[in-house]
Amino acid sequence: MIEMHFTPTPNGHKVAIALEELELPYATISYDIFEGDHLTPEFGRINPNHKLPAIVDLEPAFGGGPHAVFESGAVLQYLAEKTGRLLPADPRGRSTAIQWLTWQVAGLGPMGGQASHFIRYAPEKLPYAIERYSKEVERLLAVLERRLGEAAYLAGDEYSIADIAVWPGRAAAGLMNIDIEKYPNTHRWFSEIAARPAVKRALGGDKALPAKYAQRQAKLTAAEWSNMFGERMLGAVKA
Ligand SMILES: N[C@@H](CCC(=O)N[C@@H](CS)C(=O)NCC(=O)O)C(=O)O
C-alpha cells in the first residue's frame, strides 16, 4: 500500500497518473495548500521541503519499514523502479526518459510555475517578469514540439514516466492562454494520453482540478497568501 500525499495540481496529477497506470494500491491523503495543510510538522517528516506531492511506501521492497519519497520526479522514478514499468528497459531509452523527466522538473515545471505566479498571483503586474517567464515557456514548448515530431513519446516508442511528468502541464497551458492546437505534434500527444483510462481515473472525481486552483486572476485572502508565499510558508521550514 502506498500513501499518496496529494493536492490537485499538475505535480499532484503526475503521481496519481503513475499510480493508476501501474495499478498499485494506494490511499489518497488530500491537502488544501491554500489552507496551509502542507505546513505541519507531521508533513515535514514526510517532505522536509513542505511541498506536494509526496508518497510513503508502507512496504518497500528493500524492507526496513515505510519509505517516504518527495519531489515529483523522484516519486515517478521510484514507482517505475519498484514495478519495472514505465521506464524503457534498454539503457539508451532509459537515459532518454530520465533526460526528459529532468527537463520537466528542472525546466518546464519551474519556468511554467513562475510564469503562472506572475500572471495569476502577483499583486502588481510586472511586465518584465511576465515576459521573461512566458518567453521561456514558449521556448520550452518549441523544444517539446520538435521532440514529439521525431518520436511518438518523449523517450522514443514507449510511453514512460517522462510523458507522465510533462502531460499534466496541459492544465497550466490553458491557464496561461497557450493554445496547444498551434503545436500539432504536442496536441496529438496530449490528446492520445488524455484518452488513456488511467489518466481519466487520475484526474476524475475528488482529484479533479477545483475552481479555486484554476483561477486566471487569483484573489487570495491574507492567510492564503501567507500559507503559499509568505511568512507561514517560511515559518514551516524554519520551525
Ligand atoms: N519540485 C517540486 C515542486 C512541488 C510544488 O511546488 N508543489 C506545489 C503544488 S504543485 C506546492 O506544494 N505548493 C504549496 C506551496 O508552495 O506552499 C515537485 O516537483 O514535486
Side-chain angles (χ1 to χ4, degrees):
M1 173 61 83
I2 290 182
E3 286 178 355
M4 174 174 72
H5 295 258
F6 175 83
T7 199
T9 61
N11 282 318
H13 285 136
K14 295 175 191 175
V15 176
I17 291 172
L19 287 165
E20 288 290 344
E21 291 284 4
L22 295 168
E23 296 176 312
L24 287 168
Y26 69 96
T28 304
I29 298 156
S30 290
Y31 291 69
D32 184 332
I33 53 178
F34 290 89
E35 293 298 320
D37 293 351
H38 56 308
L39 304 179
T40 64
E42 293 74 35
F43 182 59
R45 284 190 277 281
I46 293 168
N47 182 354
N49 197 37
H50 286 271
K51 302 271 176 184
L52 292 148
I55 61 164
V56 181
D57 186 348
L58 298 178
E59 285 177 352
F62 43 76
H67 180 62
V69 188
F70 67 95
E71 282 296 325
S72 60
V75 173
L76 292 178
Q77 192 170 347
Y78 178 84
L79 294 175
E81 285 171 352
K82 178 180 173 74
T83 54
R85 292 173 53 202
L86 293 176
L87 251 184
D90 73 291
R92 187 184 296 270
R94 182 189 159 86
S95 167
T96 305
I98 297 293
Q99 289 170 57
W100 285 102
L101 175 71
T102 305
W103 175 85
Q104 194 285 327
V105 294
L108 186 62
M111 291 298 149
Q114 293 305 322
S116 163
H117 179 86
F118 285 106
I119 292 169
R120 300 171 60 209
Y121 292 110
E124 32 171 337
K125 292 295 153 232
L126 299 170
Y128 181 88
I130 292 174
E131 169 92 353
R132 155 77 185 124
Y133 291 113
S134 300
K135 271 269 175 300
E136 183 59 5
V137 170
E138 195 182 333
R139 190 189 72 76
L140 290 162
L141 282 178
V143 173
L144 182 66
E145 175 66 6
R146 177 168 296 185
R147 173 60 182 158
L148 292 170
E150 34 176 71
Y153 297 105
L154 289 170
D157 298 336
E158 260 180 68
Y159 173 64
S160 76
I161 53 171
D163 302 292
I164 294 175
V166 178
W167 187 86
R170 190 177 74 150
L175 282 175
M176 289 169 58
N177 282 334
I178 293 169
D179 181 3
I180 288 297
E181 295 199 17
K182 288 193 186 140
Y183 300 82
N185 301 318
T186 307
H187 186 242
R188 180 260 312 152
W189 170 87
F190 267 135
S191 311
E192 192 185 308
I193 295 175
R196 294 179 72 89
V199 173
K200 289 188 179 158
R201 288 196 300 277
L203 269 70
D206 60 356
K207 293 200 245 340
L209 192 73
K212 189 163 141 190
Y213 285 68
Q215 304 166 81
R216 267 177 211 283
Q217 289 297 309
K219 287 194 179 58
L220 304 187
T221 64
E224 289 171 336
W225 180 271
S226 184
N227 287 331
M228 308 252 293
F229 310 118
E231 289 309 311
R232 288 194 192 162
M233 176 214 49
L234 262 182
V237 292
K238 287 187 173 171

XYZ file of all heavy atoms in Angstrom, residues 7 9 11 14 33 38 50-53 71-73 105 227-228 233, ligand 1:
153
model
N -2.209 17.111 -3.727
C -3.043 18.290 -3.935
C -3.318 18.332 -5.441
O -2.464 17.906 -6.232
C -2.347 19.571 -3.406
O -3.320 20.582 -3.218
C -1.253 20.067 -4.306
N -2.983 19.591 -8.336
C -2.253 20.465 -9.263
C -1.529 19.553 -10.262
O -1.478 18.334 -10.061
C -1.192 21.274 -8.491
O -0.289 20.320 -7.898
C -1.803 22.135 -7.402
N 1.565 18.871 -10.556
C 2.540 17.998 -9.880
C 1.848 16.837 -9.172
O 2.328 15.700 -9.202
C 3.376 18.798 -8.874
C 4.469 19.608 -9.547
O 5.124 19.128 -10.462
N 4.647 20.855 -9.116
N 0.722 14.113 -11.657
C 1.775 13.199 -12.165
C 1.745 11.889 -11.376
O 1.796 10.796 -11.927
C 3.176 13.811 -11.953
C 3.481 15.058 -12.716
C 4.867 15.545 -12.267
C 5.172 16.914 -12.764
N 6.454 17.445 -12.246
N -3.626 23.387 -0.148
C -2.425 24.219 0.064
C -2.794 25.671 0.369
O -2.017 26.392 0.974
C -1.415 24.122 -1.110
C -2.076 24.406 -2.449
C -0.717 22.767 -1.104
C -1.111 24.368 -3.634
N -0.139 21.727 4.241
C 1.186 21.133 3.997
C 2.270 21.716 4.907
O 3.432 21.365 4.792
C 1.580 21.358 2.535
C 1.555 22.809 2.125
N 0.468 23.636 2.317
C 2.504 23.583 1.536
C 0.737 24.844 1.854
N 1.970 24.839 1.383
N 8.232 20.617 2.458
C 6.841 21.057 2.642
C 6.124 21.398 1.344
O 5.405 22.406 1.270
C 6.772 22.261 3.603
C 7.000 21.894 5.039
N 5.996 21.516 5.899
C 8.142 21.845 5.762
C 6.499 21.251 7.089
N 7.811 21.443 7.039
N 6.358 20.605 0.303
C 5.603 20.806 -0.951
C 4.962 19.478 -1.321
O 5.425 18.401 -0.934
C 6.543 21.233 -2.086
C 7.337 22.501 -1.823
C 6.602 23.729 -2.257
C 7.407 24.967 -1.882
N 6.716 26.207 -2.197
N 3.942 19.567 -2.159
C 3.260 18.355 -2.630
C 3.569 18.142 -4.107
O 3.824 19.117 -4.808
C 1.749 18.509 -2.411
C 1.436 18.501 -0.906
C 0.247 19.368 -0.602
C 1.240 17.082 -0.399
N 3.567 16.919 -4.536
C 3.171 15.684 -3.882
C 4.332 15.021 -3.146
O 5.499 15.425 -3.284
C 2.745 14.815 -5.066
C 3.730 15.213 -6.133
C 3.929 16.708 -5.945
N 9.520 15.143 -4.046
C 9.885 15.632 -5.392
C 9.226 14.705 -6.424
O 9.537 13.512 -6.496
C 11.397 15.705 -5.618
C 12.066 16.912 -4.991
C 11.594 18.248 -5.592
O 11.314 18.313 -6.799
O 11.476 19.220 -4.830
N 8.354 15.314 -7.235
C 7.542 14.500 -8.159
C 8.401 13.641 -9.092
O 8.049 12.500 -9.381
C 6.607 15.401 -8.959
O 7.348 16.344 -9.706
N 9.534 14.170 -9.553
C 10.385 13.378 -10.459
C 10.948 12.156 -9.755
O 10.993 11.052 -10.316
N 11.219 18.625 -14.666
C 11.253 19.076 -13.267
C 12.219 20.245 -13.053
O 12.037 21.022 -12.117
C 11.561 17.925 -12.269
C 10.436 16.904 -12.256
C 12.882 17.248 -12.527
N 0.193 31.363 3.617
C 0.412 29.916 3.526
C 1.193 29.522 2.272
O 1.998 28.592 2.292
C -0.936 29.175 3.487
C -1.626 29.182 4.837
O -0.971 29.231 5.871
N -2.950 29.154 4.828
N 0.942 30.229 1.184
C 1.536 29.811 -0.092
C 2.848 30.543 -0.384
O 3.760 29.967 -0.960
C 0.571 30.107 -1.241
C -0.802 29.536 -0.995
S -1.165 28.145 -2.027
C -1.239 28.870 -3.625
N 4.554 30.072 5.207
C 5.313 29.127 4.384
C 6.772 29.081 4.873
O 7.353 28.014 5.061
C 5.251 29.570 2.914
C 6.073 28.724 1.991
S 6.811 29.628 0.630
C 7.579 31.023 1.361
N 9.712 20.446 -7.440
C 8.532 20.047 -6.704
C 7.501 21.147 -6.775
C 6.408 20.924 -5.769
C 5.462 22.113 -5.655
O 5.818 23.273 -5.912
N 4.260 21.803 -5.223
C 3.243 22.824 -5.045
C 1.923 22.291 -5.577
S 2.068 21.975 -7.295
C 3.047 23.118 -3.579
O 3.170 22.242 -2.750
N 2.740 24.368 -3.275
C 2.471 24.800 -1.948
C 3.387 25.920 -1.523
O 4.273 26.282 -2.315
O 3.231 26.428 -0.432
C 7.998 18.738 -7.281
O 8.198 18.503 -8.481
O 7.424 17.934 -6.524
